């Protein structure tokens, strides 16, 4: 390095004297190699070039010994240069001009020549460089065309500006006009020429591919691959270097894709049978050669820290299952973990569901090989099949270690809301399904054996034959089968990823789970853990609604209990009391106490009855009818997750004589059991009498039945229990007029929504058929009911996240015509692909949002009117009717002058009056908001689909700006909630600012949706910035009670659980989406389509549907040996994406060290900082089991800590001045501190 700087090199001699600059230049001249100014080559380069050219000349000879010597020279020169390649190696650079000559020499060799494969290998390496030349030429051509286009565009703009300026300066003189005409002719001629040039360029551009990738694909000849296929199959391809491997892998993927395309084209063409068989045999031979090469490349990439490239190649060639089958690919534990993470990320971007399932199943098998059972459970939950969860539980093994693994998985299942294993009837039904096919079970048992604990083994011949027989239906035409049959086939042995994948339901029945594991799955201790977190953070004191409203900081006094007006009179508002009930419930959620609704009896009192029901529940009785239901039901949120005391607390209310209080008490019973599952099954026992359809109407009115149905559904959300569905089915299918049509449909809608909650994400056929039949019947008679969409949502919840499983139902719903049918189909599609980030479905939603149906309808009516007027179709009678219609329309709008003008126009011109009449009729028909609410569903569905995928959520946030600017009013109203669905409990600055602007919108529905969205975005975060914005909104909208009510609800959501809970459905490092949480948030967000009929009307109790979405946002460590919480130091910071990065990069940034239990934000990640404890899972969220490290590990950790302390002390001492060091040494020798 210094030899290139003559003025610096050798600046100081060994004695410290400065050298002469001339001497330094002499040293540099001696060190630098001599370069010939003519060709820029050194003597060594020239010698290498001459040697290579001599070898090329010898390769053209016919002597075998001379050819062998030449090939050895070429091979050794190339291999030596490719050992560390940072640029084009000189041998390849010198040989590139001779590539065509070498190809001719190779073609001249006889087919029987023994050296032909070695020659082909060398040409394959040289083709890697030669393919770059045509690509560079194509890119240069593209660049030239782009530059020419820019120049032409700039020239056209300049000419247009000059013409405009000349036109403005024209004075209209004859000579000026002639000159202008002459110039115009010249410009026209130039424009025609330019148009011809543009046409030529466009034609050339159409012929030439555009873009970098297109140029690469057009110019690549795949000669590198072709020569390798004819080369030595036993040769080590790794000896040519990593760059050669990458080039070869890319061409293998493109060649395999070309073979698939040729196969598809041949299937479409009609050929004779012999030709088809010959083509198929040739294609199979090519595929076999490619697969042999794939299984050479992938192990090389795996062993050289290029796991991502290996996985990409295996995906492109449909050989991903070879990672599990062990076809020469050896991976250590670290490599398997990196491969699994990459597969999980890739699954988000795979468009084909079969490919996505294959990637997930491979990741599941690799995690089981690696004995990462908690991570395997995460993948099993993402697959969504209950058999895969049982498979992981079975693989955990026996003994204390296996029980600890199952317990950790149980906590994960409980956090996910997975209720199909553990307490309840769903487990028994799954066990019955497992024994349906004994032959299939036997075949799967031979495939798996004991590989669940020691890793997947190779498949025996008998197992492979059985698996192949079971997989045969997959080769049938997809169009000939229903979607449900196709999805069932995906779960058969060998259907996805090869014969290594067994049938999940055919696996051995999972060992009987212990009560401790079942309690973990059922969140039996969640209430205790949550309250322990509140106690640790000193948040046990109840908070009153006024502490959240902070009305003393605002200028408004018009909307809070106990406020006084300017004249000192006390303001009593039923709406204010209703808002306070909900806010108190949200703020004190799960804490068991509050300062407003209910204070438990003091110690020493025998019961609540001792003080009297009126005294204990004073706030409940101080509300009006609707307020009593909400106040009583809010007790359930206060006792959320408390399955022991929660159902008992509202029992006195269920014995009241007021139906509203009884309904609220019944609702509180189910809310207290939300998210939990116990052996007692107390919610069903307590609500059975209220849900019984044969109960007398006098003792169980409609309001009590409706609240009880919703309570039962929320208590068993996600359980998939058939007995609960049987309790709801009579209400769904019944249309008895004894309750009244409205009451019957209201009960049916709530029951349908409840059935969707119970079977959310299961694609249960019986439930979907029941809901589909009732929904189809209701489309004609009840489509205008405020709860109609809740019934449609119930059907969508059944298919939540199930993708193509909903295709058959969507096809049948095509029979429902009109905007209502499209609305239902869009809602079902959004639910089916919720959280998947499916690009095609997101584009479908965007297309619906981009339509302008109202403008199109008006334009169509205008054209029809013009045609009628032109044909003279209007008569005197029609004219008179038109005048009356015009006058009435104008008077209804409040414009008297406009009405008079319309009347005068009708009297003077009959055709004008007819036009006014038709215009008024068109406005009345096209102005129905219900006809365009399918666009609101589409905009909301855009957020639902993209909520689980980061890149898709970012794109939705960008698209929201265009929707707000160019969308119709129906689209604008849903944009705030679309943003909220992507940012639940994640108050990003940009999102909050956008929602704050929309909350001041002049359109009331848009402003109301934005206010509700602000509450969802900040739910449970206690975000001070958002809380300040909501206080300002309360002042801004103080004259509109509906707006202020929603502001209060939003304030309660932001302070939910005193900042200890979250609404976000994403968990487990944002890999999993909780279907129950999505259903809960969606049921509330869907109310925004008709706020006046739902949340702002008498169906405000739908706000309680948010209960299943709430979850503590904590990390709590529990000792795996004692099952007691233990404080452990953890680092919590912002998560960093590490997928595809080499080495061991940091996974968090900006972290802080906390002691558990600790809070976590939506995008935080935690890792253990205390080396004395080892977690049993890789993702630290919720309840984490930890084990104390072994004594040997503790000793080594302590020794390492001591070494670090000594090293730090020595380093600090070295920085101290020598005099101070001497003083410290003498003090240490004297024994002073």
């Amino acid at each position: 390095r210094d030899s290139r700087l003559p003025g610096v090199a050798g600046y100081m001699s060994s004695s410290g004297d400065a050298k002469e600059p001339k001497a330094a230049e002499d040293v540099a001249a001696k060190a630098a190699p001599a370069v010939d100014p003519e060709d820029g080559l050194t003597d060594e380069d020239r010698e290498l070039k001459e040697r290579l050219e001599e070898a090329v000349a010898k390769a053209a000879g016919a002597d075998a010994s001379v050819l062998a010597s030449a090939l050895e020279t070429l091979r050794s020169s190339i291999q030596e240069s490719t050992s560390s390649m940072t640029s084009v190696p000189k041998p390849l650079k010198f040989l590139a001009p001779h590539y065509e000559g070498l190809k001719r020499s190779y073609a001249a060799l006889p087919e029987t020549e023994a050296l032909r494969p070695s020659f082909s290998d060398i040409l394959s390496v040289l083709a890697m460089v030669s393919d770059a030349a045509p690509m560079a030429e194509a890119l240069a051509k593209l660049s030239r065309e782009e530059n020419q286009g820019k120049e032409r565009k700039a020239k056209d703009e300049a000419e247009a500006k000059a013409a405009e300026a000349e036109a403005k300066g024209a004075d209209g003189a004859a000579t000026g006009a002639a000159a202008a005409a002459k110039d115009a002719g010249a410009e026209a001629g130039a424009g025609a020429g330019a148009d011809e040039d543009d046409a030529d360029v466009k034609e050339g551009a159409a012929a030439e591919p555009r873009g970098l990738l297109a140029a690469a694909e057009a110019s690549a000849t795949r000669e590198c691959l072709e020569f390798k296929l004819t080369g030595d199959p036993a040769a080590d391809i790794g000896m040519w270097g990593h760059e050669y491997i990458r080039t070869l892998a890319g061409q293998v993927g493109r060649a395999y894709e070309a073979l698939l395309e040729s196969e598809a084209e041949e299937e479409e063409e009609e050929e004779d049978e012999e030709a088809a068989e010959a083509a198929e045999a040739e294609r199979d031979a090519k595929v076999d050669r490619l697969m042999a090469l794939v299984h050479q490349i992938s192990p090389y990439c795996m062993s050289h820290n290029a796991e991502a490239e290996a996985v990409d190649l295996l995906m492109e060639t449909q050989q991903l299952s070879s990672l599990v089958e062990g076809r020469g690919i050896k991976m250590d534990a670290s490599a398997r973990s990196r491969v699994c993470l990459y597969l999980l990320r890739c699954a988000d971007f795979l468009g084909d569901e079969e490919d996505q399932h294959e990637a997930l199943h491979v990741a599941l098998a690799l995690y089981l090989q690696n004995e990462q059972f908690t991570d395997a459970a995460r993948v099993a939950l993402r697959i969504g099949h209950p058999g895969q969860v049982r498979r992981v539980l079975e693989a955990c093994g026996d003994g204390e270690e296996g029980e600890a693994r199952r317990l950790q998985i149980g906590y994960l299942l409980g956090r996910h809301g997975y209720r199909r294993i553990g307490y309840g009837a769903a487990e028994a039904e799954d066990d019955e399904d497992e024994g349906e096919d004994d032959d299939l079970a036997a075949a799967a048992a031979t495939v798996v054996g004991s590989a669940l604990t020691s890793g997947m083994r190779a498949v025996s011949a008998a197992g492979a034959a059985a698996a192949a027989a079971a997989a045969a239906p997959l080769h049938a035409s997809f169009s000939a089968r229903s979607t449900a049959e196709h999805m069932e086939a995906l779960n058969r042995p060998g259907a996805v990823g090869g014969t290594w994948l067994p049938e999940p339901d055919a696996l051995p029945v999972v060992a009987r789970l212990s009560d401790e594991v079942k309690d973990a799955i059922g969140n039996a201790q969640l209430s205790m853990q949550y309250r322990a977190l509140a106690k640790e953070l000193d948040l046990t004191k109840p908070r009153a609604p006024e502490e959240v409203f902070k009305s003393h900081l605002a200028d408004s006094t018009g909307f809070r209990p106990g406020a006084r007006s300017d004249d000192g009179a006390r303001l009593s508002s039923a709406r204010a009391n209703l808002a306070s009930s909900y806010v108190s419930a949200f703020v004190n959620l799960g804490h068991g106490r509050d300062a407003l609704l209910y204070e438990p009896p003091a110690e020493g009192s025998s019961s609540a009855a001792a003080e009297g029901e009126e005294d204990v529940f004073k706030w409940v009785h101080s509300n009006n009818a609707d307020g009593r239901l909400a106040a009583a039901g809010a007790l359930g949120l206060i006792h959320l997750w408390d399955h022991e005391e929660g159902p008992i607390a509202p029992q006195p209310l269920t014995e009241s004589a007021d139906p509203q209080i009884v309904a609220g008490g019944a609702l509180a019973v189910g809310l207290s059991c939300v998210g939990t599952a116990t052996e007692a099954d107390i919610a069903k026992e307590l609500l059975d009498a209220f849900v019984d359809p044969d109960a007398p109407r006098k003792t169980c009115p409609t309001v009590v039945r409706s609240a009880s149905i919703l309570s039962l559904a929320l208590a068993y959300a996600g359980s998939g229990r058939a007995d609960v569905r049987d309790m709801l089915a009579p209400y769904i299918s019944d249309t008895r007029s004894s309750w009244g049509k409205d009451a019957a449909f209201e009960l049916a809608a709530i029951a349908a929504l409840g059935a969707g909650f119970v079977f959310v994400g299961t694609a249960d056929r019986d439930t979907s058929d029941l809901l589909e039949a009732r929904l189809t019947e209701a489309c004609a008679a009840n489509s205008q009911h405020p709860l109609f969409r809740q019934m449609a949502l119930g059907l969508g919840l059944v298919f939540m996240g199930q993708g193509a499983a909903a295709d058959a139902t969507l096809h049948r719903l095509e029979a429902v015509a009109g905007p209502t049918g499209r609305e239902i189909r869009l809602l079902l599609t959004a639910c089916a692909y919720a959280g998947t980030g499916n690009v095609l479905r997101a584009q479908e939603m965007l297309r619906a949002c981009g339509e302008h149906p109202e403008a199109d309808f008006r334009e169509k009516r205008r054209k029809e009117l013009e045609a009628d007027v032109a044909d003279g179709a209007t008569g005197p009678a029609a004219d008179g009717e038109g005048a009356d219609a015009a006058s009435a329309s104008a008077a209804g709008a409040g414009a008297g002058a406009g009405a008079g003008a319309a009347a005068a126009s009708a009297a003077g011109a009959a055709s004008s009056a007819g036009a006014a009449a038709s215009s008024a009729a068109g406005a009345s028909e096209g102005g129905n908001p219900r006809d365009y609410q399918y666009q609101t569903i589409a905009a909301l569905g855009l957020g639902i689909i993209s909520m689980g995928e980061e890149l898709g959520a970012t794109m939705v946030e960008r698209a929201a700006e265009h929707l707000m600017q160019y969308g119709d009013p129906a689209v604008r109203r849903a944009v705030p909630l679309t943003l909220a669905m992507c940012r639940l409990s994640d108050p990003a600055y940009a999102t909050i600012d956008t929602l704050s602007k929309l909350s001041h919108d002049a359109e009331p529905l848009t402003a109301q949706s934005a206010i509700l969205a602000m509450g969802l975005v900040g739910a449970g975060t206690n975000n001070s910035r958002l809380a300040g914005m909501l206080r300002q909104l309360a002042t801004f909208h103080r004259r509109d009670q509906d707006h202020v009510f929603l502001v209060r609800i939003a304030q309660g959501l932001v302070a939910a659980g005193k900042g200890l809970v979250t609404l976000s459905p994403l968990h487990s490092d944002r890999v999993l989406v909780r279907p129950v949480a999505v259903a809960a948030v969606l049921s509330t967000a869907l109310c925004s389509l008709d706020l006046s009929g739902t949340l702002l009307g008498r169906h405000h109790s739908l706000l309680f549907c948010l209960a299943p979405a709430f979850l503590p946002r904590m990390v709590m460590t529990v000792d795996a040996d004692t099952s007691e919480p233990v404080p452990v130091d953890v680092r919590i910071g912002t998560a960093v994406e590490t997928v595809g990065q080499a080495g061991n990069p940091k996974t968090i940034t900006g972290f802080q060290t906390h002691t558990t239990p600790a809070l976590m934000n939506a995008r935080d990640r935690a890792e253990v900082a205390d080396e004395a404890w080892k977690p049993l899972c890789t993702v630290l969220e919720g309840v984490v089991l930890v084990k104390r490290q072994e004594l040997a590990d503790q000793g080594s950790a302590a020794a390492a800590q001591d070494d670090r302390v000594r090293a730090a002390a020595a380093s600090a001492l070295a920085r101290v001045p020598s005099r101070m060091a001497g003083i410290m040494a003498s003090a240490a020798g004297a024994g002073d501190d």
Side-chain angles (χ1 to χ4, degrees):
R1 179 184 59 194
D2 292 342
S3 63
R4 300 171 188 171
L5 302 175
V8 179
Y11 177 70
M12 298 294 292
S13 64
S14 59
S15 60
D17 299 331
K19 291 186 177 182
E20 296 293 335
K22 185 177 180 179
E25 294 176 1
D26 294 340
V27 173
K30 293 180 180 179
V35 178
D36 192 344
E38 294 182 359
D39 54 8
L41 299 177
T42 63
D43 294 339
E44 295 180 358
D45 294 344
R46 187 177 296 103
E47 181 181 357
L48 174 62
K49 183 178 180 181
E50 292 175 354
R51 186 169 67 251
L52 292 175
E53 290 176 349
E54 181 181 358
V56 170
K58 291 181 179 179
D63 191 352
S65 60
V66 175
L67 178 61
S69 175
L71 294 179
E72 178 62 24
T73 300
L74 296 175
R75 184 192 62 80
S76 60
S77 300
I78 296 174
Q79 286 183 1
E80 291 174 0
S81 65
T82 56
S83 59
S84 59
M85 187 189 307
T86 58
S87 60
V88 179
K90 292 181 179 179
L92 296 181
K93 181 180 179 181
F94 296 152
L95 289 174
H98 304 283
Y99 175 66
E100 296 297 332
L102 289 173
K103 286 172 60 178
R104 289 191 294 269
S105 300
Y106 173 79
L109 291 177
E111 294 291 338
T112 58
E113 176 60 48
L115 297 175
R116 188 179 179 87
S118 299
F119 203 164
S120 181
D121 288 339
I122 294 175
L123 288 175
S124 176
V125 179
L126 293 179
M128 173 180 62
V129 181
S130 63
D131 281 348
M135 178 181 175
E137 183 179 352
L139 292 178
K141 183 178 180 180
L142 290 176
S143 178
R144 289 194 301 270
E145 290 181 358
E146 291 178 358
N147 293 333
Q148 291 175 0
K150 291 179 180 179
E151 293 176 359
R152 189 176 296 107
K153 183 178 180 180
K155 182 179 179 181
D156 293 342
E157 291 179 354
E159 291 178 354
K161 291 181 180 179
E164 183 179 357
E166 186 177 355
K168 289 182 179 180
D171 55 358
T175 55
K182 183 178 180 180
D183 293 341
E187 289 179 4
D195 292 340
E196 293 177 359
D197 295 340
D198 289 342
D200 295 339
V201 171
K202 289 179 181 179
E203 183 178 358
E208 293 291 337
R210 303 294 299 178
L212 178 62
L213 182 60
E217 298 222 351
S219 61
T221 57
R222 291 202 292 269
E223 288 187 349
C224 179
L225 173 62
E226 293 173 1
F227 281 117
K228 180 56 191 173
L229 292 176
T230 58
D232 187 2
D236 181 18
I237 61 175
M239 64 182 178
W240 303 111
H242 187 70
E243 200 65 30
Y244 173 71
I245 298 295
R246 293 184 61 185
T247 304
L248 198 60
Q251 295 191 8
V252 167
R254 290 194 293 271
Y256 186 80
E257 183 179 358
L259 288 176
L260 294 181
E261 293 177 356
S262 64
E263 181 181 5
E265 293 175 357
E266 291 176 1
E267 290 179 355
E268 295 178 357
E269 298 177 357
E270 295 183 0
E271 297 182 357
D272 57 337
E273 186 174 352
E274 295 182 359
E277 291 179 356
E280 184 177 359
E282 182 181 359
R283 186 168 51 253
D284 292 343
K286 292 181 180 179
V287 170
D288 292 340
R289 291 197 298 270
L290 287 178
M291 293 305 104
L293 196 56
V294 166
H295 294 300
Q296 293 182 38
I297 296 175
S298 51
Y300 175 87
C301 294
M302 286 292 183
S303 60
H304 288 78
N305 298 324
E307 295 89 355
E309 297 178 12
V311 173
D312 289 341
L313 177 61
L314 295 174
M315 282 185 178
E316 291 175 355
T317 56
Q318 300 179 357
Q319 297 294 311
L320 198 58
S321 61
S322 62
L323 290 172
V324 182
E325 294 176 1
R327 298 180 182 176
I329 301 179
K330 297 181 180 180
M331 295 182 289
D332 56 6
S334 177
R336 286 196 197 98
S337 298
R338 292 195 294 270
V339 168
C340 290
L341 287 176
Y342 188 72
L343 287 173
L344 291 178
R345 292 296 185 269
C346 288
D348 292 332
F349 302 99
L350 294 176
D352 187 68
E353 286 196 23
E354 185 175 348
D355 293 341
Q356 186 178 20
H357 284 188
E358 182 181 13
L360 293 176
H361 281 94
V362 169
L364 173 61
L366 290 177
Y367 273 135
L368 289 177
Q369 278 187 342
N370 228 20
E371 296 188 354
Q372 294 178 249
F373 299 103
T374 308
D375 293 325
R378 294 165 59 205
V379 180
L381 287 174
R382 184 163 177 181
I383 292 174
H385 197 287
Q388 300 296 355
V389 179
R390 290 194 295 268
R391 173 188 182 185
V392 176
L393 290 171
E394 182 71 23
C396 290
D398 301 326
E400 295 182 358
E401 187 176 1
E403 183 66 16
R405 292 168 177 170
R406 270 191 286 271
L407 182 59
Q408 181 62 75
I409 294 176
Y411 283 121
L412 173 63
L413 298 180
R415 189 169 181 83
H416 188 70
Y418 191 84
R419 302 276 296 278
R420 304 190 68 184
I421 292 180
Y423 295 115
E427 182 178 4
E429 292 181 2
D430 291 337
D431 293 342
E432 293 176 0
D433 294 339
E434 292 180 73
E436 291 181 356
D437 195 344
D438 295 336
D439 297 335
L440 190 58
T446 59
V447 174
V448 181
S450 60
L452 290 173
T453 55
S454 61
M456 301 299 294
R457 299 183 306 185
V459 184
S460 62
L474 284 178
H475 301 288
S477 173
F478 177 81
S479 59
R481 298 181 296 159
S482 66
T483 304
E485 293 174 342
H486 178 71
M487 296 304 297
E488 290 176 1
L490 288 178
N491 289 318
R492 294 178 181 171
V496 181
T499 56
W500 60 269
L501 179 63
E503 167 68 21
D505 285 339
L507 294 169
V509 179
V510 65
R512 181 175 179 82
L513 298 176
S514 64
D515 292 340
E516 189 177 7
V517 176
K518 289 184 178 181
D519 288 342
I521 297 175
N523 290 323
Q525 299 179 350
L526 182 59
S527 178
M528 180 187 65
Q529 295 163 349
Y530 174 70
R531 294 179 184 180
L533 171 67
K535 184 177 180 180
E536 182 71 19
L537 300 177
D538 195 19
L539 293 174
T540 57
K541 182 181 178 181
R543 293 185 64 184
E546 183 59 30
E547 298 180 41
V548 178
F549 299 158
K550 295 183 179 180
S551 302
H552 61 281
L553 299 178
D555 297 333
S556 174
T557 59
F559 195 90
R560 67 178 189 274
R564 294 182 180 273
S565 61
D566 295 337
D567 57 359
R570 188 174 186 82
L571 297 176
S572 178
S573 171
R575 183 66 64 87
N577 292 343
L578 182 63
S580 297
S581 298
Y582 280 114
V583 171
S584 181
F586 286 137
V587 173
N588 299 283
L589 182 142
H591 289 273
R593 297 175 57 197
D594 82 308
L596 179 65
L597 297 176
Y598 164 70
E599 187 69 24
E603 295 183 4
S605 60
S606 59
S607 64
E611 300 182 11
E613 182 187 340
E614 292 281 344
D615 296 331
V616 177
F617 301 106
K618 184 176 181 180
W619 175 259
V620 176
H621 293 276
S622 65
N623 285 267
N624 65 357
D626 290 340
R628 291 171 188 169
L629 188 154
L635 294 177
L637 286 183
I638 295 176
H639 292 278
L640 189 66
W641 309 312
D642 188 359
H643 56 87
E644 295 179 354
E645 299 180 2
I648 301 175
Q651 281 302 304
L653 298 176
T654 60
E655 301 172 0
S656 174
D658 189 340
Q660 297 287 343
I661 296 180
V662 175
L667 189 58
V669 171
L671 288 175
S672 62
C673 299
V674 165
T676 63
T678 61
E679 192 173 6
D681 216 10
I682 188 171
K684 181 182 175 184
E685 297 296 332
L686 294 177
L687 296 174
D688 188 26
F690 299 112
V691 181
D692 186 6
D694 297 328
R697 183 181 179 185
K698 183 177 181 181
T699 59
C700 192
T702 302
V703 63
V704 176
R705 293 179 188 271
S706 177
S708 302
I709 290 172
L710 183 60
S711 175
L712 181 69
L714 295 178
Y716 293 96
S719 62
R721 291 180 51 166
D723 56 340
V724 177
R725 179 188 60 209
D726 294 340
M727 297 174 67
L728 302 178
Y731 294 98
I732 298 175
S733 57
D734 193 8
T735 57
R736 286 183 291 182
S737 59
S738 59
W739 293 342
K741 292 184 178 180
D742 290 342
F745 181 78
E746 179 179 335
L747 292 175
I750 296 297
L753 178 63
F757 268 104
V758 175
F759 287 89
V760 59
T762 62
D764 184 75
R765 185 172 299 177
D766 295 335
T767 306
S768 64
D769 291 344
L770 175 66
L771 297 179
E772 182 184 346
R774 184 65 178 90
L775 181 63
T776 306
E777 180 183 353
C779 286
N782 304 104
S783 61
Q784 303 298 319
H785 196 279
L787 296 180
F788 174 77
R789 292 180 188 84
Q790 303 297 329
M791 175 179 283
L793 178 61
L795 178 60
L797 296 184
V798 176
F799 294 100
M800 178 70 69
Q802 296 300 307
D807 287 349
T809 304
L810 285 170
H811 181 70
R812 289 191 295 269
L813 288 175
E814 293 286 345
V816 182
T820 302
R822 189 174 185 186
E823 190 175 317
I824 295 173
R825 292 189 293 272
L826 287 173
L827 181 59
L828 181 56
T829 302
C831 292
Y833 292 90
T836 62
N838 189 286
V839 177
L840 297 179
R841 301 305 175 183
Q843 290 176 346
E844 179 182 349
M845 300 297 168
L846 281 173
R847 282 194 295 269
C849 293
E851 297 176 0
H852 301 281
E854 185 173 1
D856 295 342
F857 178 81
R858 293 181 182 277
E859 180 66 18
K860 179 181 178 181
R861 295 287 297 169
R862 186 185 65 80
K863 291 181 178 180
E864 292 177 355
L865 173 64
E866 292 177 353
D868 292 343
V869 172
D871 296 340
T874 57
D879 297 342
E881 294 176 358
D884 295 340
S887 301
S889 176
S905 177
S911 60
S912 299
S918 298
S919 178
S924 63
E925 293 184 29
N928 186 6
R930 299 285 299 201
D931 294 340
Y932 315 123
Q933 285 193 351
Y934 74 88
Q935 291 189 297
T936 308
I937 296 290
L940 188 60
L942 191 62
I944 298 170
I945 293 173
S946 305
M947 62 167 24
E949 197 268 303
E950 186 63 27
L951 182 60
T954 303
M955 296 305 295
V956 168
E957 291 175 353
R958 294 184 180 182
E961 300 178 3
H962 300 281
L963 294 178
M964 288 300 302
Q965 185 174 2
Y966 302 108
D968 283 357
V971 177
R972 287 173 50 85
R973 293 165 191 156
V975 168
L977 290 169
T978 301
L979 295 174
M981 297 301 291
C982 297
R983 290 285 184 178
L984 291 171
S985 293
D986 185 14
Y989 285 143
T991 304
I992 292 177
D993 291 340
T994 302
L995 294 178
S996 178
K997 295 176 183 177
L998 295 176
S999 63
H1000 295 79
D1001 196 88
E1003 209 272 325
L1005 294 179
T1006 302
Q1008 291 173 358
S1009 297
I1011 293 171
L1012 182 60
M1014 293 174 73
L1016 297 176
V1017 168
T1021 62
N1022 264 342
N1023 187 279
S1024 59
R1025 185 166 179 262
L1026 188 54
M1029 290 180 177
L1030 290 173
R1031 286 196 299 270
Q1032 294 174 1
L1033 281 176
T1035 303
F1036 182 80
H1037 294 294
R1038 61 184 178 274
R1039 300 186 182 278
D1040 192 325
Q1041 296 295 297
D1042 290 342
H1043 284 69
V1044 178
F1045 176 78
L1046 291 175
V1047 169
R1048 296 310 189 200
I1049 297 299
Q1051 287 179 304
L1053 289 174
V1054 172
K1058 303 175 187 176
L1060 304 182
V1061 296
T1062 179
L1063 273 181
S1064 176
L1066 302 176
H1067 72 103
S1068 191
D1069 204 11
R1070 302 179 69 84
V1071 170
L1072 296 177
V1073 179
R1074 292 187 292 141
V1076 175
V1078 178
V1081 177
L1082 185 55
S1083 62
T1084 304
L1086 201 64
C1087 295
S1088 65
L1089 274 69
D1090 190 4
L1091 283 170
S1092 61
T1094 53
L1095 300 185
L1096 298 178
R1098 60 188 189 89
H1099 297 295
H1100 53 77
S1101 58
L1102 290 174
L1103 279 172
F1104 289 121
C1105 291
L1106 284 174
F1110 285 111
L1111 202 64
R1113 56 183 189 99
M1114 66 177 183
V1115 53
M1116 175 177 287
T1117 50
V1118 176
D1119 193 340
D1121 297 326
T1122 63
S1123 298
E1124 295 294 333
V1126 292
V1128 176
D1129 291 340
V1130 294
R1131 289 186 289 265
I1132 299 178
T1134 305
V1136 178
E1137 185 61 78
T1138 60
V1139 176
Q1141 298 183 13
N1144 295 315
K1146 295 184 180 295
T1147 58
I1148 59 176
T1149 182
F1151 62 86
Q1152 292 181 345
T1153 302
H1154 301 270
T1155 301
T1156 58
L1159 295 179
M1160 295 181 63
N1161 294 323
R1163 299 178 183 273
D1164 282 353
R1165 184 180 292 166
E1167 59 183 27
V1168 174
D1170 192 347
E1171 297 180 357
W1173 296 94
K1174 180 181 179 181
L1176 296 187
C1177 58
T1178 57
V1179 178
L1180 273 60
E1181 291 182 15
V1183 180
V1184 178
L1185 294 182
V1186 293
K1187 277 193 173 184
R1188 189 175 291 276
Q1189 297 277 42
E1190 300 295 335
L1191 294 179
D1193 295 341
Q1194 291 184 10
S1196 61
Q1201 180 69 14
D1202 293 341
D1203 292 340
R1204 287 194 293 269
V1205 172
R1206 292 191 188 97
S1211 177
L1213 187 62
R1215 292 193 295 269
V1216 178
S1218 58
R1219 182 178 179 184
M1220 191 63 188
I1223 296 175
M1224 293 176 65
S1226 61
D1232 295 339
D1233 292 335

